[in-house]
Amino acid sequence: MALLEIRDLSVSIGERPILRGLNLSLEAGQVLGVVGESGSGKSMTALSILGLLPAGAQVSGAVTFDGEDLLVMPDHALARLRGNRIGMIFQEPMTALNPVMTIGAQVGEVVRIHRKASRKEALAAARQALDRVGLQAIPLTRYPHELSGGQRQRVAIAMAIVLTPRLLIADEPTTALDVTTQAQILDLLRQLAREDDAALILVSHDLAVVAEVADQVAVMQDGQIVEAGETGAVFAALGHPYTRKLAADAERAPARNRRPDPAAAPVLEAQTLTRDYPGARRLLGRGPAHRALNAVSLTIRPGEIVGLVGESGSGKSTLLRALLALEPVQGGQVRLAGEPFTPRSSARRRKHLQIVFQDPHGSLDPRWTVERLVAEPLHLLGASLAERRAKVEAVLAQVGLPAEAANRYPHQFSGGQRQRIAIARALIVQPDVIALDEAVSALDVSVRAEVLDLLARLSDELGVAYLFVTHDMGVVRGLTDRVLVLKDGVIVEQGPTAEVFAAPQHPYTAQLIAATPDLKRALAQRAR
Amino acid sequence: MSRAAPTLVIGGAISALFVALALLSFIWTPYAVTDFDIAHRLQGPSTAHWLGLDHFGRDVASLILLGARNALLVSLVAVLLGAGLGVPLGLLAAARGGWIDELVMRGADVVFAFPALILAILLTAVLGPGALNAVIAIGVFNVPVFARLTRGSALSLWTRDYVLAARAAGKGAARISLEHVLPGLLSVLIVQATLQFSLGVIAEAGLSYVGLGAQPPAASWGKMLADAQTLVAVAPLQAIFPGLAIVITVLGLNLLGDGLRDRLDPRLTEDR
Amino acid sequence: MKLSSFFSGLLAACALLVAPLAVQAQTSLTVGLQLEPPNLDPTSGAAVATDDVVYGNIFEGLVQLDPQGAVKPLLATWWEVSPDGLSYTFHLRQGVRFQDGTAFDAAVAKFSLDRALAATSTNVQKQALGAIARIEAVDPRTLRLILNRPDGNLLNVMALGDTVMVSPKSAGKLATDPIGTGPFRFAGWRRGDSVTLDRFDGYWGKGAKLAQVRFRFIGDPAAAFAAIKTREVDAFPDYPAPENLAQLRADPKLKVIAAASEGEVILGVNNRTGPLANVRVRRAIQHALDRRAIIDGAMYGYGTPIGSHFPPQNAAYVDLTGLHPHDIAKAKALLTEAGYPNGLALTLKLPPPNYARRSGEIIAAQLAQVGIRVKIENVEWAQWLDQVFARHAFDLTVVSHAEPMDYDIYDRPDYYFGYSSPAFHALMGQLQAATDEGQRAAILGQIQRRIADDAVNGFLFQFPRLGVFDARLKDFWVNSPTRSIDLANASFDGAGGGGIASGRSGGGAIPGLVLAIAVVGGLAWLTARFGAVWLAGRAAIMAVTLLAASAVIFTIIQVVPGDPAAFMLGLNASPEAAANLRQQMGLEGPAAQRYAAWLLGMVRGDFGVSYTYQTPVAGLLAERIGVSLPLALLAMILSVVVGAPIGALAAARRGKAADTVVMGLTQVGVAIPNFWFAVLLVMAFSIGLGWFSAGGFPGWDAGLWPALKALTLPAIALAAPQAAILARVTRSALIDTLAEDYMRTARAKGLTASQALWRHGLPNALIPILTILGLQFPFLLAGGVIIENVFFLPGLGRLVLQAIGQRDLIVVQGVVMLLVFAVVATNFLVDVAYRLVDPRLSGRAAR
């Protein structure tokens, strides 16, 4: 019989149903990918197996693990299973570890709780587990804050596997990580599951990730499994319309009609920008400065869409701030619409360059109406109050929102709609360039596709140029004309997008492209 | 959230009652407290005098009412003083950073390094006792409280994307402070103001108790307690009523503050 | 509930503390006094409290006054006055020795009187001795005073504490180490608490019956009540709380004596300017006063109404209380006549004693009824002396004039009430010339009538001397005319009563050494753990904060009104004496220079010398911190032991009934002012159950147990609101950590909810808890001010309040600096604790 058998599992919190009649089964040694957009109930499925649902959740059905029904088990009995026979890995490696405990103690704690091991034995076991996850070089006495995100996720994995559980549950284990790290972690998980002959449930929003890793896949929507089966078969057939749509949205490359003129004068230009951050303050003077940008040059022509890719810490955000003249630079200069642009430049010149941020929730002041929010940059045009409403409604219409939206507050909108509001705010002063800082990264696939379509359309209609800053190679490939690759404050490669993807010149670029999950490639490999 | 409601309701009700009684005392008290009925002093509660008479034969209920007025005025003005100076300083420190920030925060440290009560006593010794000087002594310590709170919260707001968006929209630091930062702080400030208000009531009572607060004939709860202290063996109720008045008022204000925090704090409403 | 069992345990532990003291035949006596003497030198300064303690006990003069005011022999066995009144010859007693071994003879007597008359003398009676032209030691047993004019009052002056005999060997240190010829010798002074005297076995006379006498200083009326009720003191000869006398009378073990004193309580009126210069206005005020109501209201009926400035027990007394009867209509009519039909506004400045403050409130209400609007300003003694007495910046005041036969102040136009009357001056001239008793009495009658008729001041009542004594105490003589407490013959009937701990404080060397070693060791460890750079950075921050704070303190202190010299020397000091004292106390010179000197001194551990106590401030601080620090620590421990578990419990049972109840209780706890809680504790455990003394501190040398016992109630009162705060912080800190991702991780590892709470939640919650503890400790240390007053503990808080009142600014500076240092040091320790608790703060940075 199956190692894990979920029968008719329903969960509701208060009046709200979270899971509706879920059925799943999983054999030892298998990898099950659970895929779905946010709110589909995939994380709740993982938590209900462990009995860690939020207080007040109503559960019905059965979750049979190794012949025992977990749903009727008392908590202390469940506690004996957790970490011991079922291991779990969570999404946020930065916060999932106790900051005031050494990693050795945290991994060892699992052993001490379940095995009554001595401190020494526990630490020995912890050492072994950390070695297995590739942290041979890291001493047990380190604290989480002394490790990188990828290393922390490895520690979390070490905690989950230290007692070689029969079932591993990984809830979005790589979402917060860079693509290269993501690839390593996925490899590691697959390898560990295989070595221990454990079952692995991988919860992800990313179809490509699941397609690469999972043997079985379950697609979830609104608390239900809409389609399940062997991975290759499911993705080959794309039988359910929802699955089909997900796959299509993930691969979406918006159509564009207007081509930028390569000879036009650049609207935004950076010439050998250098940005230093002062070193840590010491008793006398400061430590050595940190060079975040080193002689970075770039040009953006009217109507052009330029992608800027780089992993965390590469200097993307610093470059963006320097381009926006929010911070001074130590070398080089920024030219906007042909003239130097510095923090001391007249605020009026900002109408040429606007910005859209990653998190539409955080970039809109929750206390302001949409009208006020969208109109915020209008003062750059010297527009009168009477014109304001009309302009706001016009720009809302451009981004596909009704005029009455102007009266509402941001929290009354969905994530995608909020990003449209943010775009409207950038558009209202008719800028030459909009910088998009990870503008679609926080959105679900389908919403992301819609926003990308909108951006492409606006580029066509208005001739506005974009600087598209992202870590997501997939998005870059679909939308941009040119791409720049930033690593450690230096642009290591740039060129037309298609050329770069076809034949990356720099090894780092090649590595990035290879590490980026790709549904087509995964399916192709699977077919082989 | 469900438990926040009773806190807010009870706290709000008590605080409202306190303010109402304080305001009422401007136009009406059961008896004039200039009536010294020494023959009947220390009489217990009766239908004529609900809370009895004090050691001078004054109506205790009337004194409590006037004490509420005094407590309200002193603490309210002290809070306004503290917030009026502290909030702009905090906003400035957060907006400008650098040496201004350093100066404001080190100044706050120095004020905090003083034992508040001792310095209040010293200040009233210099300025002379009296309600106004009690206000200053208490208000001085509210300034760094508000300055620090404002700066800390403002700094976190300054890292928000919507502030960055406003900067990209070409808005200056002063305008951003007023349009985005201050409104974002209001709920935190209101909660803190309520709590400082209740601390002010206790501090005022303490100063009056050692004779440095409001001067007679103005009534003060702390003064009433001081007067009652030698009488604890003879007329314990004299110490009970003003004490209860302080406790209930402070309790009400604290409950109100907590209730407001539960209601207004975005962190709490979003996460839980 | 667990809480209740905890409290019952606590009560049981408390009960153990109150094991009865051993019963023994009582040869020691504790006398309660309201005021602590600023110093113990009766020949400098006018503090009545000094005479209370030392006169007749440590020091003796040539003559003394008996209870009726007649001059009697003491160190002079007899004396002759020449017929022209210009030569006084004293025949001195044989075999008298000072407590330092010096023999008493005419040379010593001459030295003592010369010293009082010297140019640099700060003796208050210097002017009264002004008739003396020359002092001759005729032979060892004979002293002769040659006068330049006759002075009928000289022998009276010779009977004052200001003219006692002092030993040349010890004369320089009398303020702190008094040496005289009396039946008791000085044994120790715990400042702010008590002075102890031991029997002097080398006494020339019969010798004292008591082996030891302790004077305890209890200014607070409530504390005085508790102290006498619980027999912390055996006698309170000048009991400050008339409101409790009825209750004390009912106690058969006590006797209550209400005696007349020489003190007249008056409503002092500034006769100089404005409406009060108009006699009609002053008479209107007289008519507005209801003396009976004032005596009832302020003194609970104790005190005799007076109509003039004269004590009723004196043979020459004339009852003038009917001259200006209480008559509101008359008062209003007089005001209208004087041109104030709509009344007028006056300020009334009240010194600290209860009689003044209470009378003042009643007077304000009485004057309001005739249309005089009175603004009350309560002032400290020093301010009173400065504003009212020296600078005459007042309209009205209430004060008791305690000096006997002091009607001569009405003959001084520069005196604070500023009465100037040729008629009265003429009367005074007649009085000095008069020798016949009958004639004198007649003139004295006219004098009384004159000032009453001019309504110079509002004459209120004769101050009652209210004494409460252990009923077994006998031959305890409170000498009314000279205001001393003569204990030479006092003794107890039978056995019983409480033993008295005694002894000098001191022995601070060993704890100091331990502390020094701990500090050095701690610094070494910190350097090893966090690095010298970090430590130096912290030290720099501390130094800057301290420096800024010191500048603030010094600046504030500079503007404090009031002259400490005037305060120390009292009502009758000459300006010359005050100037001398100011010079001695180093109050002269530019501020910057004094600030620099003060700073440099502090760096060397020298905080200056107390103006009032005449001892190094550092010593005072060390003594007081020995009470305040243990109290704060005890309160801290209590608050942690009670508060933290309650908070953790509530967090663990979050949302359940226990949580709601406990959190409701902590809300109440936070709202209770600690001084009110202290009063409630005293009501319950001292007055009600009698388990604890209502206050006082026996000193650490009385043993650990009694000392801790004395600190228990104050610590509970201090700790209760703090424990409530701590419980709330602990709960919310724990609940915050419960929402953290790592708590979910911990549960996924297989920890139960409570295991996760204790192992992962608590260590992370420690950070906010530490922050609160760091804020609480300095608060407890300084916040004891009021609590120390309630329980009359000789701690820093009481020292600073007292010092502010006495304008002992150097002490104020010292205490505030010490407390600021405590805050800074606590912040440092909290910082260290943060670094120990939170590895993210120490050394190795991320990546």
Side-chain angles (χ1 to χ4, degrees):
Chain A
M1 72 171 274
L3 178 68
L4 181 73
E5 193 80 42
I6 298 181
R7 282 282 155 261
D8 207 21
L9 176 66
S10 292
V11 174
S12 60
I13 295 177
E15 296 295 300
R16 200 158 56 91
I18 305 291
L19 296 180
R20 294 185 289 191
L22 227 60
N23 288 298
L24 266 181
S25 81
L26 184 61
E27 304 290 340
Q30 272 198 329
V31 179
L32 169 68
V34 179
V35 71
E37 295 188 287
S38 48
S40 62
K42 52 190 196 303
S43 291
M44 283 297 169
T45 309
L47 291 176
S48 56
I49 296 171
L50 282 174
L52 290 178
L53 285 168
Q58 309 284 320
V59 191
S60 66
V63 176
T64 316
F65 173 74
D66 233 359
E68 290 177 285
D69 186 355
L70 302 183
L71 293 188
V72 299
M73 236 184 233
D75 189 67
H76 62 89
L78 266 175
R80 279 202 293 275
L81 284 181
R82 295 184 205 123
N84 183 9
R85 300 181 56 207
I86 306 176
M88 175 120 190
I89 301 146
F90 295 99
Q91 174 174 2
E92 289 297 335
M94 306 311 275
T95 53
L97 302 181
N98 185 344
V100 303
M101 224 169 150
T102 62
I103 57 170
Q106 292 193 56
V107 178
E109 190 180 26
V110 186
V111 186
R112 299 195 60 184
I113 287 170
H114 294 289
R115 293 282 189 274
K116 307 279 173 269
S118 74
R119 182 174 223 97
K120 215 173 143 192
E121 288 161 359
L123 285 181
R127 182 71 269 167
Q128 263 188 330
L130 289 171
D131 289 352
R132 271 190 83 194
V133 299
L135 294 177
Q136 291 88 344
I138 308 291
L140 292 177
T141 53
R142 284 289 158 86
Y143 285 97
H145 73 274
E146 296 169 300
L147 306 179
S148 71
Q151 289 171 325
R152 289 190 215 188
Q153 195 61 299
R154 284 168 193 265
V155 173
I157 293 173
M159 278 196 289
I161 56 119
V162 64
L163 294 177
T164 52
R166 305 287 299 126
L167 173 63
L168 262 180
I169 304 171
D171 183 7
E172 304 268 12
T174 58
T175 307
L177 303 174
D178 284 327
V179 275
T180 45
T181 319
Q182 164 170 301
Q184 293 162 8
I185 296 286
L186 288 175
D187 273 349
L188 175 66
L189 279 175
R190 201 162 31 183
Q191 176 205 336
L192 290 170
R194 198 178 310 125
E195 282 175 13
D196 294 348
D197 194 28
L200 170 65
I201 298 178
L202 179 71
V203 176
S204 178
H205 67 283
D206 192 332
L207 239 52
V209 164
V210 171
E212 278 187 6
V213 178
D215 306 313
Q216 300 277 324
V217 68
V219 182
M220 289 190 71
Q221 186 190 19
D222 294 336
Q224 284 174 307
I225 293 177
V226 294
E227 191 171 8
E230 197 274 319
T231 308
V234 168
F235 284 113
L238 295 176
H240 194 275
Y242 182 69
T243 318
R244 199 153 53 235
K245 182 174 182 310
L246 277 185
D249 288 343
E251 295 294 301
R252 175 81 124 258
R256 295 178 58 209
N257 302 320
R258 187 197 285 239
R259 285 290 148 212
D261 174 8
V267 285
L268 179 66
E269 207 176 353
Q271 296 168 342
T272 60
L273 286 187
T274 301
R275 177 81 175 94
D276 292 333
Y277 284 112
R281 197 190 292 210
R282 299 209 177 147
L283 185 56
L284 300 168
R286 290 174 176 280
H290 167 65
R291 178 148 291 188
L293 293 179
N294 193 358
V296 169
S297 299
L298 62 87
T299 53
I300 297 173
R301 294 178 207 292
E304 200 178 16
I305 302 183
V306 176
L308 177 72
V309 241
E311 295 187 287
S312 51
S314 60
K316 282 179 305 188
S317 309
T318 309
L319 178 57
L320 208 52
R321 283 164 173 272
L323 290 173
L324 285 165
L326 293 176
E327 285 173 4
V329 290
Q330 278 67 47
Q333 69 166 341
V334 177
R335 298 179 73 84
L336 180 64
E339 282 172 64
F341 185 49
T342 70
R344 300 189 172 278
S345 301
S346 155
R348 293 231 146 184
R349 300 198 47 220
R350 294 191 179 277
K351 73 172 184 190
H352 298 293
L353 174 59
Q354 287 294 305
I355 185 163
V356 174
F357 293 96
Q358 169 174 15
D359 177 11
H361 182 66
S363 68
L364 303 175
D365 191 328
R367 285 161 209 87
W368 285 24
T369 60
V370 169
E371 176 179 356
R372 208 176 152 204
L373 281 168
V374 172
E376 183 164 32
L378 259 188
H379 70 109
L380 296 175
L381 299 182
S384 76
L385 209 64
E387 295 169 88
R388 183 170 110 165
R389 179 73 189 200
K391 280 189 186 279
V392 168
E393 287 186 9
V395 78
L396 284 177
Q398 278 183 332
V399 300
L401 288 173
E404 57 87 27
N407 301 326
R408 294 194 275 159
Y409 288 89
H411 69 89
Q412 294 168 295
F413 295 89
S414 71
Q417 288 173 319
R418 280 199 285 245
Q419 202 58 304
R420 285 168 193 265
I421 295 169
I423 294 168
R425 173 172 59 187
L427 279 180
I428 198 164
V429 288
Q430 296 167 334
D432 301 323
V433 187
I434 297 178
L436 298 143
D437 183 5
E438 302 275 13
V440 295
S441 305
L443 304 176
D444 273 325
V445 213
S446 52
V447 181
R448 168 159 63 192
E450 288 165 19
V451 172
L452 288 176
D453 281 348
L454 171 67
L455 289 172
R457 180 167 62 79
L458 291 172
S459 164
D460 280 351
E461 289 173 11
L462 307 171
V464 60
Y466 298 134
L467 174 63
F468 205 95
V469 181
T470 184
H471 68 281
D472 187 337
M473 296 298 276
V475 173
V476 169
R477 186 200 302 221
L479 188 68
T480 61
D481 301 317
R482 276 194 306 126
V483 64
L484 302 144
V485 181
L486 191 66
K487 183 177 194 291
D488 298 336
V490 179
I491 290 185
V492 294
E493 178 158 9
Q494 59 175 311
T497 308
E499 285 174 27
V500 170
F501 272 81
Q505 298 302 303
H506 194 277
Y508 178 67
T509 317
Q511 193 191 341
L512 271 187
I513 294 170
T516 304
D518 185 324
L519 186 56
K520 280 201 190 95
R521 193 177 61 206
L523 293 177
Q525 275 171 356
R526 197 168 281 279
R528 246 188 281 136
Chain B
M1 278 308 290
S2 59
R3 285 203 315 123
T7 321
L8 196 61
V9 169
I10 297 170
I14 296 176
S15 308
L17 183 69
F18 163 58
V19 173
L21 288 180
L23 292 179
L24 176 67
S25 77
F26 279 101
I27 51 170
W28 180 81
T29 53
Y31 294 86
V33 294
T34 44
D35 292 347
F36 285 46
D37 183 3
I38 286 163
H40 295 108
R41 65 153 152 242
L42 301 181
Q43 209 176 58
S46 63
T47 47
H49 299 277
W50 287 8
L51 304 181
L53 298 172
D54 81 341
H55 64 295
F56 286 149
R58 291 176 295 189
D59 180 52
V60 172
S62 305
L63 287 169
I64 296 265
L65 233 59
L66 292 170
R69 178 209 294 187
N70 179 59
L72 174 79
L73 286 181
V74 170
S75 342
L76 189 67
V77 180
V79 167
L80 292 180
L81 183 74
L85 290 175
V87 172
L89 278 177
L91 285 177
L92 182 73
R96 299 295 296 274
W99 66 270
I100 293 182
D101 184 22
E102 197 70 13
L103 193 71
V104 171
M105 286 304 105
R106 290 294 83 76
D109 282 351
V110 170
V111 178
F112 266 128
F114 282 93
L117 189 63
I118 303 266
L119 202 65
I121 289 170
L122 196 58
L123 279 177
T124 41
V126 174
L127 302 168
L132 183 65
N133 297 330
V135 166
I136 295 172
I138 298 167
V140 163
F141 287 97
N142 281 335
V143 174
V145 170
F146 280 102
R148 275 189 176 181
L149 179 74
T150 303
R151 173 188 174 267
S153 311
L155 276 184
S156 82
L157 288 182
W158 271 96
T159 65
R160 295 283 171 89
D161 281 346
Y162 63 77
V163 170
L164 212 54
R167 291 177 68 194
K171 286 195 170 162
R175 213 168 149 185
I176 291 175
S177 288
L178 288 180
E179 291 185 358
H180 288 288
V181 179
L182 187 59
L185 290 174
L186 268 186
S187 59
V188 184
L189 290 177
I190 289 170
V191 170
Q192 193 64 36
T194 316
L195 298 179
Q196 293 305 116
F197 196 160
S198 82
L199 286 177
V201 171
I202 291 196
E204 195 282 328
L207 283 178
S208 303
Y209 179 79
V210 292
L212 297 172
Q215 298 300 298
S220 149
W221 293 339
K223 168 84 164 54
M224 291 174 76
L225 275 181
D227 286 341
Q229 207 187 329
T230 51
L231 299 164
V232 285
V234 189
L237 283 181
Q238 296 289 322
I240 299 293
F241 289 130
L244 280 181
I246 298 171
V247 172
I248 291 172
T249 303
V250 173
L251 183 66
L253 289 169
N254 281 342
L255 288 175
L256 178 66
D258 284 3
L260 285 175
R261 191 198 326 253
D262 290 351
R263 177 62 56 88
L264 297 177
D265 190 335
R267 200 173 61 106
L268 291 174
T269 47
E270 277 167 26
D271 294 352
R272 279 165 226 159
Chain C
M1 244 180 70
K2 287 204 170 108
L3 203 61
S4 66
S5 64
F6 170 78
F7 275 119
S8 58
L10 192 69
L11 288 182
C14 295
L16 283 177
L17 288 169
V18 275
L21 291 158
V23 174
Q24 53 183 301
Q26 191 166 348
T27 56
S28 60
L29 169 74
T30 305
V31 179
L33 292 179
Q34 275 194 73
L35 289 176
E36 177 172 22
N39 63 66
L40 298 179
D41 180 359
T43 68
S44 171
V48 167
T50 306
D51 279 8
D52 280 350
V53 172
V54 299
Y55 183 62
N57 297 323
I58 295 178
F59 291 102
E60 294 173 323
L62 295 180
V63 297
Q64 63 179 337
L65 296 183
D66 72 1
Q68 286 69 46
V71 179
K72 291 275 146 62
L74 192 59
L75 292 180
T77 48
W78 60 286
W79 55 90
E80 304 154 281
V81 184
S82 67
D84 61 0
L86 290 176
S87 164
Y88 283 67
T89 306
F90 293 94
H91 300 273
L92 306 182
R93 195 177 292 280
Q94 282 214 325
V96 175
R97 282 195 176 275
F98 282 95
Q99 290 136 12
D100 65 0
T102 311
F104 171 72
D105 61 15
V108 171
K110 174 175 159 51
F111 165 83
S112 301
L113 294 177
D114 277 341
R115 180 172 169 270
L117 287 165
T120 57
S121 161
T122 53
N123 196 306
V124 176
Q125 296 298 338
K126 190 173 160 186
Q127 277 180 330
L129 295 168
I132 300 174
R134 206 166 69 243
I135 303 166
E136 294 170 358
V138 180
D139 64 54
R141 297 267 65 83
T142 313
L143 181 78
R144 181 169 298 141
L145 307 184
I146 310 296
L147 276 55
N148 50 27
R149 58 180 154 82
D151 185 352
N153 200 34
L154 184 66
L155 281 175
N156 281 320
V157 176
M158 299 299 287
L160 294 178
D162 306 84
T163 50
V164 293
M165 295 296 112
V166 302
S167 154
K169 203 162 97 183
S170 315
K173 298 179 300 185
L174 295 183
T176 55
D177 200 3
I179 298 288
T181 59
F184 291 95
R185 64 188 306 162
F186 175 68
W189 186 0
R190 192 193 308 282
R191 283 178 179 77
D193 182 63
S194 61
V195 165
T196 307
L197 309 182
D198 287 341
R199 179 163 52 208
F200 172 43
D201 293 325
Y203 186 56
W204 55 267
K206 216 162 43 170
K209 291 175 183 153
L210 293 168
Q212 190 181 63
V213 175
R214 194 148 81 111
F215 292 93
R216 287 197 54 182
F217 312 113
I218 303 170
D220 187 59
F225 173 70
I228 191 81
K229 189 84 184 131
T230 55
R231 236 42 120 255
E232 289 274 313
V233 299
D234 303 304
F236 221 121
D238 216 350
Y239 184 73
E243 56 268 44
N244 316 120
L245 283 183
Q247 200 187 0
L248 295 174
R249 270 186 203 284
D251 187 338
K253 294 200 177 110
L254 293 173
K255 65 182 169 210
V256 174
I257 296 168
S261 79
E262 294 284 317
E264 298 86 13
V265 178
I266 61 165
L267 171 67
V269 177
N270 192 344
N271 284 237
R272 286 182 182 78
T273 51
L276 294 175
N278 186 333
V279 71
R280 289 200 188 87
V281 175
R282 297 201 301 269
R283 283 186 187 140
I285 290 174
Q286 303 278 357
H287 284 296
L289 298 174
D290 178 353
R291 295 187 182 84
R292 200 63 250 170
I294 295 169
I295 293 169
D296 284 346
M299 303 303 295
Y300 288 71
Y302 293 95
T304 312
I306 51 172
S308 188
H309 198 109
F310 213 74
Q313 73 271 28
N314 194 291
Y317 176 73
V318 182
D319 185 356
L320 293 165
T321 49
L323 187 62
H324 299 291
H326 178 53
D327 184 342
I328 291 172
K330 185 82 184 291
K332 282 182 174 164
L334 277 168
L335 280 179
T336 310
E337 236 177 87
Y340 302 97
N342 301 318
L344 62 154
L346 298 172
T347 60
L348 171 59
K349 295 197 173 175
L350 300 173
N354 258 351
Y355 74 82
R357 296 266 165 101
R358 287 183 183 157
S359 303
E361 280 196 60
I362 301 169
I363 289 167
Q366 291 177 352
L367 292 182
Q369 291 183 333
V370 302
I372 300 177
R373 298 173 296 281
V374 172
K375 179 174 175 284
I376 293 180
E377 277 180 42
N378 288 339
V379 294
E380 296 293 335
W381 269 122
Q383 288 167 305
W384 188 90
L385 287 163
D386 181 53
Q387 297 171 11
V388 177
F389 195 75
R391 292 195 282 114
H392 313 145
F394 76 109
D395 294 325
L396 303 172
T397 185
V398 174
V399 69
S400 166
H401 282 259
E403 296 80 5
M405 307 310 259
D406 56 357
Y407 41 79
D408 65 307
I409 55 180
Y410 289 80
D411 196 23
R412 298 192 212 160
D414 59 343
Y415 206 63
Y416 74 96
F417 44 75
Y419 174 61
S420 172
S421 158
F424 185 86
H425 185 70
L427 283 172
M428 286 298 286
Q430 290 174 27
L431 183 68
Q432 266 173 358
T435 46
D436 176 65
E437 272 307 310
Q439 202 186 354
R440 278 181 68 90
I443 299 170
L444 282 173
Q446 283 177 307
I447 279 175
Q448 295 171 50
R449 207 173 294 279
R450 179 82 254 145
I451 51 181
D453 201 43
D454 280 345
V456 182
N457 293 310
F459 305 104
L460 303 177
F461 55 92
Q462 183 198 31
F463 194 78
R465 194 142 195 201
L466 306 172
V468 184
F469 305 91
D470 188 310
R472 297 167 297 135
L473 192 61
K474 57 179 190 183
D475 296 326
F476 181 107
W477 178 45
V478 178
N479 186 330
S480 179
T482 50
R483 286 236 12 172
S484 69
I485 295 167
D486 189 341
L487 300 167
N489 300 313
S491 67
F492 280 98
D493 260 343
I500 294 166
S502 70
R504 290 161 182 271
S505 60
I510 292 168
L513 191 67
V514 172
L515 197 67
I517 291 171
V519 167
V520 171
L523 286 179
W525 178 76
L526 286 175
T527 312
R529 174 92 198 228
F530 300 122
V533 171
W534 176 79
L535 202 63
R538 289 295 316 182
I541 292 174
M542 281 172 76
V544 169
T545 311
L546 284 174
L547 199 66
S550 75
V552 173
I553 296 167
F554 192 81
T555 313
I556 294 176
I557 298 276
Q558 290 310 300
V559 288
V560 174
D563 178 3
F567 176 69
M568 281 181 61
L569 289 173
L571 292 186
N572 296 322
S574 66
E576 194 191 327
N580 278 339
L581 193 62
R582 283 182 63 82
Q583 194 63 43
Q584 273 181 29
M585 298 197 304
L587 287 172
E588 311 290 344
Q593 204 176 351
R594 279 182 290 138
Y595 176 62
W598 176 55
L599 272 190
L600 284 175
M602 277 196 300
V603 172
R604 293 193 311 264
D606 168 14
F607 284 75
V609 175
S610 160
Y611 301 156
T612 46
Y613 285 133
Q614 299 291 309
T615 63
V617 176
L620 283 176
L621 294 182
E623 225 173 82
R624 297 307 185 94
I625 196 96
V627 177
S628 292
L629 189 64
L631 175 62
L633 284 174
L634 200 59
M636 181 97 162
I637 292 167
L638 271 177
S639 109
V640 172
V641 166
V642 175
I646 286 180
L649 191 85
R653 301 230 190 296
R654 185 174 173 218
K656 304 218 173 89
D659 178 28
T660 313
V661 169
V662 167
M663 282 303 108
L665 283 178
T666 60
Q667 277 284 19
V668 176
V670 172
I672 294 181
N674 57 18
F675 55 91
W676 187 56
F677 191 56
V679 174
L680 295 184
L681 286 177
V682 170
M683 271 193 214
F685 292 100
S686 303
I687 295 171
L689 297 170
W691 287 1
F692 288 89
S693 81
F697 186 67
W700 291 104
D701 38 12
L704 189 65
W705 208 228
L708 280 180
K709 194 179 136 192
L711 294 181
T712 304
L713 281 190
I716 292 175
L718 262 179
Q722 304 302 317
I725 292 173
L726 195 66
R728 299 189 68 79
V729 170
T730 307
R731 175 179 176 274
S732 69
L734 274 173
I735 286 174
D736 279 351
T737 61
L738 287 181
E740 296 284 348
D741 283 346
Y742 54 74
M743 294 302 284
R744 195 178 54 182
T745 308
R747 297 276 281 130
K749 280 157 95 173
L751 275 73
T752 62
S754 70
Q755 275 177 321
L757 182 75
W758 292 109
R759 289 184 184 216
H760 294 272
L762 201 58
N764 278 287
L766 267 182
I767 292 161
I769 294 172
L770 271 175
T771 307
I772 281 296
L773 288 181
L775 287 176
Q776 281 191 349
F777 185 69
F779 177 81
L780 290 174
L781 197 56
V785 182
I786 298 177
I787 296 293
E788 283 171 11
N789 263 341
V790 176
F791 291 95
F792 54 105
L793 295 173
L796 285 173
R798 225 154 67 92
L799 179 67
V800 77
L801 269 189
Q802 198 178 334
I804 288 174
Q806 293 171 334
R807 294 305 106 144
D808 196 346
L809 303 183
I810 200 116
V811 170
V812 177
Q813 287 176 345
V815 175
V816 179
M817 272 318 283
L818 185 69
L819 291 174
V820 170
F821 178 78
V823 175
V824 174
T826 312
N827 287 346
F828 172 73
L829 289 178
V830 168
D831 223 50
V832 169
Y834 277 156
R835 294 180 148 250
L836 292 178
V837 168
D838 190 344
R840 282 167 293 189
L841 292 174
S842 59
R844 297 172 289 187
R847 281 220 287 185

